[in-house]
């Protein structure tokens, strides 16, 4: 029993290059025991009995020893007025990729996908992408203006906005540059860096359509809107009116509370299915126009270099994509036996219909379980049971969305897009499992 429980352990060692010495010690010494205990809690009483008997036979009397937390008075309520994770979870952090950008204010921090469950990203672990740093904007002084081709231009306070009818919906946000470092043959070590410009939250706010109606947008000539942020980067993006009226939200809420400052407090645009750059943070202005605005963030930046020297502008939708988060790069399997392969799938065109998983580099595929809820333009958790026989394996996942679009292999994507792109890399990700159990990032086909 001990062996099986150990073998089901998910993360036993993290890659050292991205951890400081204290973190390495914590991860490599404590993780095994911790995982055993977590498995135990999850497995319930029957397994717990079997486990404790097994440990007793092994000569580990831990289960029989009274622990301080069972024999002393706990801390009072509200001694942590805003609850924080356990001190034993201090390694689960968003992290900056060393050397990725020259200035930290114009950079990225990545979500630690390898350590998360389900589909919701805790707000404090939501990835960050700022062009000119983040600000803690005073909501009392923040305004949203709607102007351009409207009957009545208006300026809204936060109080005005929060009196209007609201919606709450779960959506993923993925930066168009997610997995950018995988376009060539450069392979970064962990899923946090390959796919961690990805998060999913429940967002709350006013449908943009309500505000456009309120201002009387020009139904004939108002074909586009421009969204503008209040930070120093003057982030601006054009959005087609059809999409703006569909499911775009002017959001102030994230996972049941106000947005975090790093994610646009007090107001950001939520543009479901569309690359992160259009989700303008610290949103201060919406202008209605009759043509695309040709802003710097859509004509110079965030363009896709194609083969033959051409480039694509105004690309927006994040096509179907998936990644196995456990086991994934930098982790080590602790022995042969049963593992639950687990990962995330998403599509900017709607719901995920199916995820297939291969353990032999794409020769054979099995259909994974989709865990509920399976929502449109949200992350979907999938899992598949796997018995590892100790021989080298290559793990892959392949998503199909409700339009029947199938996530491509890297070679298929490169055949169309070339190798000079940065954005919109939705290729199948491969993780190689060595006989030692070590998992690493490899590029296959
Ligand atoms: N909005 C403003 N005002 N300033 C920015 O720098 N970055 C954009 C977008 N909105 C940005 C912005 C980019 S490139 C992305 S990927 C997302 O915000 C990231 O959102 P997050 O930091 O909440 O993860």
């Amino acid at each position: 029993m001990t062996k099986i429980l150990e073998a089901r352990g998910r993360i036993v060692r993290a890659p050292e290059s991205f951890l400081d010495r204290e973190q390495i010690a914590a991860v490599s010494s404590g993780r095994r025991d911790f995982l055993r205990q977590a498995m135990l809690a999850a497995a319930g009483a029957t397994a717990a009995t079997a486990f404790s008997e097994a440990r007793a036979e092994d000569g580990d009397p831990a289960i029989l020893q009274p622990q301080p937390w069972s024999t002393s008075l706990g801390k009072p309520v509200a001694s942590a007025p805003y609850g924080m994770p356990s001190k034993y979870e201090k390694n689960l952090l968003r992290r900056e990729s060393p050397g990725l950008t020259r200035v930290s204010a114009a950079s990225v921090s990545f979500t630690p996908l390898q350590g998360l469950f389900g589909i919701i990203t805790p707000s404090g672990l939501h990835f960050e992408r700022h062009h000119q740093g983040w600000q803690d904007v005073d909501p009392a002084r923040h305004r949203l203006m709607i102007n351009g081709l409207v009957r009545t231009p208006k300026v809204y306070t936060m109080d005005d906005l929060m009196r209007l009818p609201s919606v709450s919906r779960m959506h993923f946000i993925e930066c168009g540059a997610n997995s950018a470092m995988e376009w060539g043959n450069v392979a970064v070590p962990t899923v946090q860096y390959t796919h961690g410009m990805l998060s999913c939250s429940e967002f709350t706010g006013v449908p943009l359509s309500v505000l456009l109606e309120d201002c009387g947008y020009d139904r004939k000539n108002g074909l586009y809107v421009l969204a503008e942020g209040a930070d120093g980067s003057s982030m601006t993006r054009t959005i087609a009116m059809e999409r703006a009226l569909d499911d775009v939200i002017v959001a102030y809420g994230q996972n049941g509370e106000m947005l975090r400052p790093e994610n646009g407090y007090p107001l950001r645009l939520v543009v479901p299915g569309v690359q992160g750059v259009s989700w303008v943070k610290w949103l201060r202005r919406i202008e209605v126009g009759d043509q695309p605005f040709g802003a710097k963030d859509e004509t110079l930046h965030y363009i896709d270099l194609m083969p033959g020297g051409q480039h694509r502008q105004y690309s927006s939708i994040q096509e179907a994509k998936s990644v196995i988060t456990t086991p994934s790069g930098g982790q080590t399997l602790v022995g042969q036996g049963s593992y639950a392969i687990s990962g995330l799938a998403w599509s900017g065109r709607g719901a995920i219909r199916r995820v297939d998983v291969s353990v032999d580099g794409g020769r054979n595929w099995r259909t994974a379980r989709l865990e509920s809820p399976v929502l449109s333009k949200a992350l979907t958790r999938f899992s598949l049971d796997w018995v590892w026989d100790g021989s080298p394996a290559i793990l892959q996942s392949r998503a199909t969305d409700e339009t029947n679009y199938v996530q491509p292999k890297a070679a298929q994507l490169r055949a169309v897009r070339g190798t000079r792109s940065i954005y919109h890399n939705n290729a199948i990700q491969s993780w190689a499992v060595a006989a030692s159990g070590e998992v690493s990032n490899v590029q296959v086909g």
Side-chain angles (χ1 to χ4, degrees), residues 5 45 64 80 108 145 165 173 208 231 281 309 314 348 372 382 412 427 432:
L5 285 168
L64 303 174
V108 186
M145 178 163 95
I173 166 172
L208 180 54
D231 54 330
K281 299 189 279 188
Y314 294 106
S372 60
F382 66 85
Q412 290 172 318

Side-chain angles (χ1 to χ4, degrees), residues 80-339:
Y82 194 102
M84 298 299 283
S86 159
K87 63 183 178 193
Y88 301 107
E89 297 299 325
K90 67 180 180 186
N91 292 319
L92 194 69
L93 299 171
R94 51 187 176 197
R95 294 175 191 276
E96 202 178 343
S97 177
L100 184 65
T101 57
R102 284 168 56 203
V103 188
S104 285
S107 196
V108 186
S109 72
F110 296 79
T111 292
L113 298 175
Q114 70 281 4
L116 302 182
F117 314 114
I119 60 170
I120 292 296
T121 312
S123 298
L125 295 176
H126 192 291
F127 81 95
E128 303 158 273
R129 171 72 180 107
H130 318 307
H131 288 237
Q132 192 138 326
W134 61 273
Q135 305 277 357
D136 202 353
V137 171
D138 179 354
R141 290 162 60 192
H142 188 70
R143 299 287 183 272
L144 172 69
M145 178 163 95
I146 301 197
N147 68 330
L149 300 179
V150 293
R151 194 173 50 245
T152 321
K154 288 194 179 175
V155 175
Y156 297 86
T157 64
M158 287 303 297
D159 284 344
D160 295 337
L161 292 170
M162 293 177 81
R163 289 172 61 177
L164 293 169
S166 66
V167 293
S168 293
R169 290 200 210 106
M170 287 187 238
H171 288 301
F172 77 82
I173 166 172
E174 180 182 27
C175 181
N178 202 23
S179 313
M181 289 178 280
E182 302 291 297
W183 264 116
N185 288 314
V186 190
V188 292
T190 67
V191 72
Q192 181 158 11
Y193 295 104
T194 58
H195 288 75
M197 288 161 81
L198 171 74
S199 297
C200 184
S201 302
E202 184 190 64
F203 292 100
T204 300
V206 186
L208 180 54
S209 57
V210 169
L211 298 175
L212 290 168
E213 292 284 356
D214 191 38
C215 295
Y217 74 97
D218 182 334
R219 286 171 198 277
K220 184 158 170 275
N221 300 311
L223 300 177
Y224 297 92
V225 302
L226 180 79
E228 181 184 80
D231 54 330
S233 73
S234 299
M235 169 64 64
T236 38
R237 286 285 300 191
T238 299
I239 298 162
M241 184 59 86
E242 200 183 355
R243 185 183 307 288
L245 294 175
D246 182 13
D247 53 4
V248 175
I249 306 171
V250 173
Y252 44 77
Q254 177 182 359
N255 297 332
E257 58 183 358
M258 290 298 283
L259 289 162
R260 292 291 169 92
E262 310 91 286
N263 305 120
Y265 177 90
L267 209 59
R268 88 169 306 165
L269 211 56
V270 167
V271 193
V274 168
Q275 62 175 336
V277 66
S278 293
W279 295 47
V280 174
K281 299 189 279 188
W282 312 291
L283 180 71
R284 74 167 167 203
R285 196 168 69 88
I286 298 280
E287 181 177 340
V288 178
D290 56 2
Q291 52 189 319
F293 288 80
K296 67 174 169 40
D297 297 304
E298 53 203 15
T299 51
L300 291 173
H301 305 152
Y302 296 93
I303 55 172
D304 297 319
L305 289 177
M306 304 293 281
Q310 302 234 306
H311 70 258
R312 267 186 347 190
Q313 295 178 333
Y314 294 106
S315 48
S316 56
I317 297 283
Q318 296 297 104
E319 299 288 0
K321 187 167 170 182
S322 68
V323 67
I324 293 171
T325 51
T326 309
S328 61
Q331 300 177 348
T332 305
L333 306 188
V334 289
Q336 296 176 26
S338 306
Y339 287 85

Side-chain angles (χ1 to χ4, degrees), residues 36-92:
R36 272 207 298 269
Q37 282 157 25
M39 283 335 254
L40 195 60
T46 320
T49 314
F51 181 76
S52 63
E53 283 165 6
R55 296 308 296 167
E57 280 164 25
D58 289 355
D60 178 353
I63 189 72
L64 303 174
Q65 283 171 358
Q67 300 293 344
W69 45 84
S70 309
T71 54
S72 61
L73 184 61
K75 296 182 181 65
V77 295
S79 46
Y82 194 102
M84 298 299 283
S86 159
K87 63 183 178 193
Y88 301 107
E89 297 299 325
K90 67 180 180 186
N91 292 319
L92 194 69

